[in-house]
Amino acid sequence: MSIVLTRIDTRLIHGQVLEAWVPYSHADCIVVANNDVAGNPLKKMMMEASVPSLLRVAIGTVDEIVELFANGEFDGRKTLLLFATTEDACLAYRRGLLFANLNLGNLHAGAGKQRLSCTLFLGEDDISNLQSLEDVGVNIVARCIPADSERSWQKLIPHRKGGECS
């Protein structure tokens, strides 16, 4: 398996992913692991239809995608793996879909979420999920588009600015 980019982006497949991240990462396969989209035939069809025919696309529940990776379905591919939430990323990792790096792209606002940048809103559950991934060695950075500099997600949290984790 060759995951060239693992990203959390609430929007999943959209123009920024197709026009910026696919060329940057040289991906030839986009995989979406999200229970909501997998269970909504219209959303799934619209996402699949938005992907150019030269790219392979797979959309499934977190468990389905974990199993496809485990069975070697994406071996020999340069895969861009997309999650909509920190919960999806954590669940996949706990179920055996291991990745070394995680890019935080866009996480939308919601009840109980704090704005950390123009594209990142995190709640306590998100912070806990990301901390759990970091604790097992996943390198996590915030980076909206390839032209942006990587930023430590920890340093975006107001009480953690300056690099100190309390």
Side-chain angles (χ1 to χ4, degrees):
M1 141 179 82
S2 179
I3 297 176
V4 295
L5 178 67
T6 304
R7 178 177 171 88
I8 299 177
D9 190 325
T10 306
R11 301 169 297 170
L12 296 167
I13 298 174
H14 57 91
Q16 190 180 82
V17 166
L18 295 171
E19 296 297 321
W21 286 107
V22 167
Y24 176 80
S25 66
H26 303 288
D28 62 11
C29 179
I30 298 175
V31 175
V32 171
N34 180 261
N35 297 348
D36 178 49
V37 172
N40 185 320
L42 181 59
K43 281 184 184 180
K44 185 176 177 178
M45 181 183 63
M46 288 172 52
M47 277 195 195
E48 289 170 338
S50 72
V51 177
S53 61
L54 295 175
L55 296 172
R56 178 168 177 203
V57 63
I59 299 172
T61 66
V62 172
D63 286 339
E64 289 168 346
I65 296 302
V66 168
E67 187 170 329
L68 289 174
F69 271 101
N71 292 336
E73 185 69 27
F74 307 110
D75 288 356
R77 293 280 187 179
K78 295 176 186 168
T79 304
L80 194 162
L81 175 60
L82 296 170
F83 298 108
T85 67
T86 62
E87 182 181 4
D88 288 345
C90 246
L91 179 61
Y93 198 93
R94 281 195 311 266
R95 300 256 166 94
L97 178 48
L98 306 183
F99 43 88
N101 300 295
L102 181 62
N103 168 261
L104 303 180
N106 291 281
L107 285 114
H108 290 170
K113 294 193 179 220
Q114 179 179 15
R115 181 181 179 168
L116 303 183
S117 75
C118 62
T119 62
L120 290 178
F121 294 79
L122 297 179
E124 287 304 317
D125 287 346
D126 295 314
I127 291 169
S128 177
N129 289 335
L130 294 173
Q131 187 62 59
S132 294
L133 287 167
E134 193 170 76
D135 288 348
V136 295
V138 177
N139 177 49
I140 303 170
V141 297
R143 189 174 182 193
C144 190
I145 59 173
D148 291 343
S149 298
E150 291 182 349
R151 295 176 292 160
S152 164
W153 75 279
Q154 293 271 8
K155 290 183 180 177
L156 296 174
I157 301 169
H159 66 280
R160 296 184 183 183
K161 287 191 184 213
E164 292 293 315
C165 296
S166 49

